[in-house]
Structure formats: C-alpha cells, structure tokens
Amino acid sequence: MELRQGLARVMPGLAQLLGYRRSWLRPDLLAGVTVAAYLVPQCMAYAEVAGLAPVAGLWAILPPLLLYAVLGSSPQLSVGPESTTAVMTAAAIGPMVAGDPVAYAGFCSLLALLVGLVCCVGAWARLGFLADLLSKPILVGYLGGVALIMISGQLGRISGVTLNADALPGRLVELFGRLGEIHGPTLLLALGVLLFLLLVQRRFPRAPAPLLAVLLAMAVVAVGHLDQRGVAVIGAIPAGLPRPTLPPWVSPDQLRYLLTASVGIALVGYSDNVLTARAFSARGGYRIDANQELLALGTLNLGNGLMQGFPVSSSGSRTAIGDSLGSRSQLFSLVAMAVVLAVLLWLRPVLALFPTAALGAIVIYAALRLIDIPEFLRLQRFRPSEFRLALITLVGVLLTDLLIGVGLAVGLSVIDLFARLVRPHDAVMGIVPRLAGLHDVRDWEGARTIPGLVLFRFDAPLCFANAEHFRQRVLETVASEPQPVAWFVLNAEAIVEIDITAADVLEELHRELSARGITFGLVRVKQDLYAQLERAGLVEQIGARMFFPTLPTAIAAFQGRATPVKGP
C-alpha cells in the first residue's frame, strides 16, 4: 500500500494504469483509435506551422504520449503538438535560421529542451500553485472560448475555401465575402458527417460516433471518387521514425535569446495544459495535481528535445474527442501512440482517403460539447460577477488568442478576491431566543447583544489591506451600541495571523478604546496569532487575563461570574 501511494505521488499516470479496471478498456480503445485518426493529420499540419517537415509532427507526438501516460495526473488530457506553441516556435526560430532545414530542426529541438528545463525548474520551485488562481468561471469561459476558436479554425476545411484571417470575426467576414467559392461537395460531406455525429450521439450515446464517422467518410470518398471531384483528402503520409540526437551548439547570445523564448512558450504551454486539464477534471469529477502537470510538461518537452521534436503542450480538441468517447485513463494515449507507430511503419495508405472536411466536422462536434450553456446560466443565478468573469474570459480568449485573455480573467479574479478581503464581512454577536450559541444579530429577528459587551467577529485575515477598515468598523460598532460599552472583545477565530501594519492598528485601537474607558479583549486566539501578538508587545499591553479560549468564558468574565482565563 505504501509503495502504491508513493508511486501515485511520483508517477500518478503509471499508478492509475497499474490499478486499471476492465470496464475502462472499450472506451479507452475507441478513444485512442479515434484520437489517433485525428492527431495524425493535425500534428503533420502543426509541424508545417512550426516550419518543419510534416513527418516531424508525427515524431513529436510519440515521446509526449508515452511520458505523460506515466507522469501525468489527468486521465483524459491529450498532449503533443498544438497550434500556439507551434506558432511561437516558428516565430522564435525563423529569424535565427534561414534556408537551412537541418539547422532549423536542430534549433527547434534545442528550444524544446529549454522549455522542458524551464518547466522542470518551475515544478522544483513548486510554482504549480499558480494554477489555483484559475477559478470555476475562468474554466467555464476558457472552454467556451477554446470551443469557438476550434470551430472557427475548421470553417475553411468544411467549406473548401482557404481563409487567410486568423481570428474568428475575420474568418466569418472573409467567408461571407467569398460564399461563391464554397465547394459544394466538401460542405455537404462535412454537414453530413456533423449531422451523423449529432444523431448518433442523441440516439446511441454510448456508440463510438467519431470513429464510425471516420470510417463512413472514407467509404463515401472511395465509393463516390470524391477525391477526384475536388474534395481534399489527407493524401500520402511520409514514413520513418525519429532517432535520438543531441542539440546543436549555440553562442551565448543565441542561448540567451532561446532561453527567453522558452520562458514565454513554457508559460503559454503550461497555461493551456493546466487550464484544459482542470476544465476536464471539473467535468469528470476528479482532481489533478497542478505541480505534477508542470513536471510532466517539462519531462515530455525534454523527451521531444532529444528525439528531433519541437515544443509541445496539450490539445483541447483531442482531449474533447477522447472525452466524447468516454476515455477513462491514459491507456487511450498509449493506444493512439501505437496507431501512430503503425501508421509510420505500415498503415500510411489507410488514411490517405480520409477527407479533411470530415476531420473538421469531428472537431466542431467535439467543440460543441465544450460550450456549457447550463453552467453559464448557473453562474448568472449564483453571482452575476462570476458570470461576467466567465464572459470576459471567453471574449478575451477569442480576441487575444488565449493567453492574454486568460491573464486578464485571472487578474480580474484576483481583484475580485482582493476586494472581498479588503471589505470582508463582520458581525456583532448576540443571543437569539430559543437558539443555542451566539449569532450575528443582523441575521435573526429578536436577537440582542449583552448590555455593555460588544462581541465583534471579523471574518477575514487581518493585514495591511483591511486593517484601517477593521479599525473604522470597530469604532462605528461601538458608537452605534444603544447602551454604553464597557468591554469590547474581538472574536479572532478567522484571524490566523497578522502583519506589522495590523499589529500597529490593534495597538492604536487598544489605546483609543482605553481612552474611552472601554476594556479591550480577544477570544478564540490561535497559538500562532498569540505568539505574533506577544512579539508585537500587545499581550503585555492588553493583559494576558483578557485573552479567552471560548465565548462563554469571555461572557462569564464580563459578568463577573468567573476569573478570566489566562492566555495560551
């Protein structure tokens, strides 16, 4: 048991595979084969985006699929080449190498190694906690934005029109301006595949709809000779396997340049990786380890750097396709890897007749499943500010190509959190008839305070950001009491620690209340907080006898029925 738990901490993917359930086999096999049918042409295209030969995309999928299956904490995430890191790779390497494909490939491998090192250093520094800033509204908005980007990216494929625009609005405007160029057979085939997928999903939700669509589309092209009527197909797939290579030597200036680029790619790749993993974990009811994801991303990029690959991250579209088929473990990635190997070695002619329009329809089908309208409505009902945050994330992702939109949403989320910290809830506690305990007098009709005693609860940590607000609220509360206040007792159950600013405010507040003849005390003070107050000299000023372990002992001391309990 201890060995299994230790393995789960270091290699969570392998630990899950060792505890594999037989009921997972069918959906994992179907998901693996279908994802492989999608990733083969997709990864070849991403290699071209990165400025490499198409076969490099297939090489770059092999190490990630294997390594993530062992190290990854998500049972559903599909890793490998994706568009954003491919574009950033081309932007980084293009200015350095011109007209030399061998040198270009070597620099791409070196960049992958540097991205891997940056991620591994981040994992060692435990920077995965930054993913905790990604709240549920951000995840919902992110998935919706990614889904719309996925759909917009397939408009050219399903229409047969080569679109030059990059963003969704530009693609729609360009497509509407070129309606006369739409290729009828291509559009009909794509719509037929999409309709088939939606109908099968509705009537037979457990059927492998995308895999059936792949087989059906290839059969239609073969029988109708649609490839001879202008319907684009994948065509010939190059053969060969990668060989381990060492990266090229570079000058110090080149190394600094590549290292700077690798930090940017690592940030983008990790943001995409952890956002996608967390979004699907929220849908699937399991947890991921953000720091383990950072380590896994670093390791698979190191593997790619040594196997003639280029920087990679995760794929939302492939993850969505696997999810649509019920993938349950990373066995689906190993199945996909086996299919890619088989394609590289023996099965290249099988996918030659697969139409790219059908590929676009499958992506659109997977994207539609990511737009969670009921969750948007739930956010609106729960708190409009969280609904707005989800919409801002969605729009930001659409308009800024993922990263800036996510950064904007994270910033707004932090501001929203900080606002709640600066102006937290507080309560004057009193007695409610026929109800045990002490409660917020504002919450209950007929509640009353104990005459002469104010029991004040501050529902947040006390720090520089809210210390002055705390002082003002205390003075306002004392002033609003209908009877003269003799004792003011702070309920510190929500205050874990204080900083020096808060300590100074507490000291000033003690002096102000003392000048008015009001005795200051604290109740439910934790040991760590008591030690900080002691170091600040506040225990000596207030007096240890005015620290109480419970509310009843504080009330009893006020009423003179017991000797005040000394502090910890």
Side-chain angles (χ1 to χ4, degrees):
M1 179 62 75
E2 291 183 2
L3 179 62
R4 178 75 178 273
Q5 292 175 347
L7 186 63
R9 285 193 297 270
V10 180
M11 300 180 180
L14 180 59
Q16 188 195 37
L17 290 175
L18 292 177
Y20 196 81
R21 299 180 186 177
R22 220 170 157 178
S23 60
W24 298 350
L25 184 59
R26 181 176 179 273
D28 278 346
L29 288 175
L30 292 173
V33 172
T34 307
V35 168
Y38 174 65
L39 68 82
V40 167
Q42 186 190 53
C43 292
M44 291 170 61
Y46 289 158
E48 291 185 322
V49 170
L52 296 163
V55 72
L58 299 182
W59 293 347
I61 195 67
L62 298 176
L65 290 178
L66 176 62
L67 293 170
Y68 190 84
V70 174
L71 295 173
S73 65
S74 169
Q76 291 187 292
L77 190 68
S78 180
V79 296
E82 54 86 31
S83 58
T84 309
T85 53
V87 170
M88 294 181 74
T89 298
I93 304 300
M96 297 180 63
V97 183
D100 187 347
V102 176
Y104 191 99
F107 276 97
C108 287
S109 297
L110 177 57
L111 185 60
L113 279 175
L114 292 175
V115 170
L117 287 174
V118 169
C119 291
C120 288
V121 170
W124 173 78
R126 310 296 295 177
L127 296 182
F129 74 90
L130 295 174
D132 293 337
L133 297 177
L134 307 175
S135 62
K136 182 63 176 290
I138 291 179
L139 297 179
V140 173
Y142 172 80
L143 274 186
V146 167
L148 293 177
I149 288 176
M150 288 167 58
I151 292 172
S152 72
Q154 307 308 312
L155 294 178
R157 278 181 174 168
I158 66 173
S159 65
V161 178
T162 302
L163 301 177
N164 299 316
D166 295 326
L168 173 59
R171 285 174 178 160
L172 290 175
V173 170
E174 184 178 358
L175 183 61
F176 280 117
R178 300 170 61 186
L179 293 177
E181 301 178 30
I182 293 177
H183 188 249
T186 298
L187 181 60
L188 288 175
L189 179 62
L191 293 177
V193 170
L194 182 59
L195 182 62
F196 172 82
L197 289 167
L198 294 173
L199 289 176
V200 171
Q201 178 63 31
R202 184 178 180 85
R203 298 293 300 274
F204 309 100
R206 299 183 63 85
L211 180 57
L212 294 176
V214 169
L215 299 175
L216 179 63
M218 288 192 295
V220 169
V221 170
V223 172
H225 303 290
L226 296 184
D227 56 321
Q228 300 175 17
R229 299 177 57 186
V231 174
V233 295
I234 290 176
I237 298 174
L241 293 176
R243 296 188 304 272
T245 57
L246 292 176
W249 290 102
V250 294
S251 68
D253 289 340
Q254 289 175 322
L255 183 60
R256 281 194 295 270
Y257 170 78
L258 289 175
L259 187 58
T260 301
S262 70
V263 172
I265 294 175
L267 287 173
V268 173
Y270 178 63
S271 297
D272 188 44
N273 191 88
V274 76
L275 274 169
T276 305
R278 286 195 62 180
F280 279 92
S281 72
R283 291 160 60 94
Y286 56 86
R287 298 283 183 182
I288 67 158
D289 184 335
N291 208 66
Q292 184 68 25
E293 288 301 301
L294 190 54
L295 176 63
L297 181 64
T299 304
L300 59 90
N301 272 288
L302 288 175
N304 254 3
L306 296 174
M307 296 295 289
Q308 303 181 50
F310 55 94
V312 297
S313 179
S314 63
S315 169
S317 58
R318 297 197 297 268
T319 305
I321 289 173
D323 176 65
S324 70
L325 286 163
S327 60
R328 302 299 301 272
S329 77
Q330 282 297 323
L331 179 65
F332 92 94
S333 291
L334 297 179
V335 171
M337 184 182 73
V339 172
V340 173
L341 285 171
V343 168
L344 284 169
L345 296 175
W346 308 295
L347 302 179
R348 297 188 310 282
V350 174
L351 291 177
L353 288 179
F354 183 47
T356 58
L359 185 66
I362 292 175
V363 174
I364 292 174
Y365 164 74
L368 290 174
R369 296 169 59 90
L370 297 182
I371 303 175
D372 198 342
I373 299 297
E375 193 63 27
F376 276 99
L377 298 177
R378 176 171 170 258
L379 290 174
Q380 170 66 21
R381 291 192 302 269
F382 178 74
R383 182 180 291 160
S385 64
E386 302 214 27
F387 172 71
R388 289 193 295 270
L389 185 60
L391 286 182
I392 289 171
T393 304
L394 187 151
V395 174
V397 165
L398 286 177
L399 298 182
T400 61
D401 197 15
L402 299 181
L403 186 62
I404 298 176
V406 172
L408 174 63
V410 170
L412 292 174
S413 184
V414 172
I415 290 172
D416 184 50
L417 173 64
F418 194 69
R420 292 198 292 269
L421 175 64
V422 171
R423 296 292 184 268
H425 179 268
D426 56 58
V428 175
M429 307 184 70
I431 299 170
V432 179
R434 298 181 297 278
L435 187 64
L438 295 167
H439 306 275
D440 186 348
V441 295
R442 290 174 296 186
D443 291 343
W444 299 91
E445 186 177 353
R448 61 177 179 83
T449 59
I450 299 170
L453 172 64
V454 172
L455 290 170
F456 184 81
R457 190 185 70 209
F458 193 68
D459 294 334
L462 189 58
C463 63
F464 71 95
N466 57 25
E468 184 57 30
H469 172 73
F470 162 78
R471 174 182 166 277
Q472 292 176 1
R473 285 293 300 133
V474 169
L475 296 178
E476 289 170 3
T477 300
V478 170
S480 65
E481 281 295 296
Q483 300 186 29
V485 177
W487 276 29
F488 176 88
V489 177
L490 172 62
N491 182 353
E493 59 183 310
I495 303 175
V496 180
E497 61 179 7
I498 60 172
D499 57 18
I500 193 63
T501 304
D504 291 344
V505 167
L506 282 174
E507 183 180 3
E508 181 183 351
L509 183 63
H510 173 251
R511 286 199 306 267
E512 288 187 61
L513 294 177
S514 297
R516 300 183 188 186
I518 300 173
T519 302
F520 185 87
L522 292 95
V523 64
R524 303 193 68 175
V525 177
K526 297 176 176 61
Q527 292 285 352
D528 290 344
L529 176 59
Y530 187 87
Q532 289 182 318
L533 293 172
E534 202 168 33
R535 289 195 296 270
L538 285 168
V539 173
E540 182 179 355
Q541 292 181 32
I542 296 171
R545 67 182 185 84
M546 292 304 299
F547 285 78
F548 306 97
T550 64
L551 291 169
T553 57
I555 295 172
F558 169 72
Q559 294 175 337
R561 300 184 219 170
T563 302
V565 179
K566 293 192 176 184

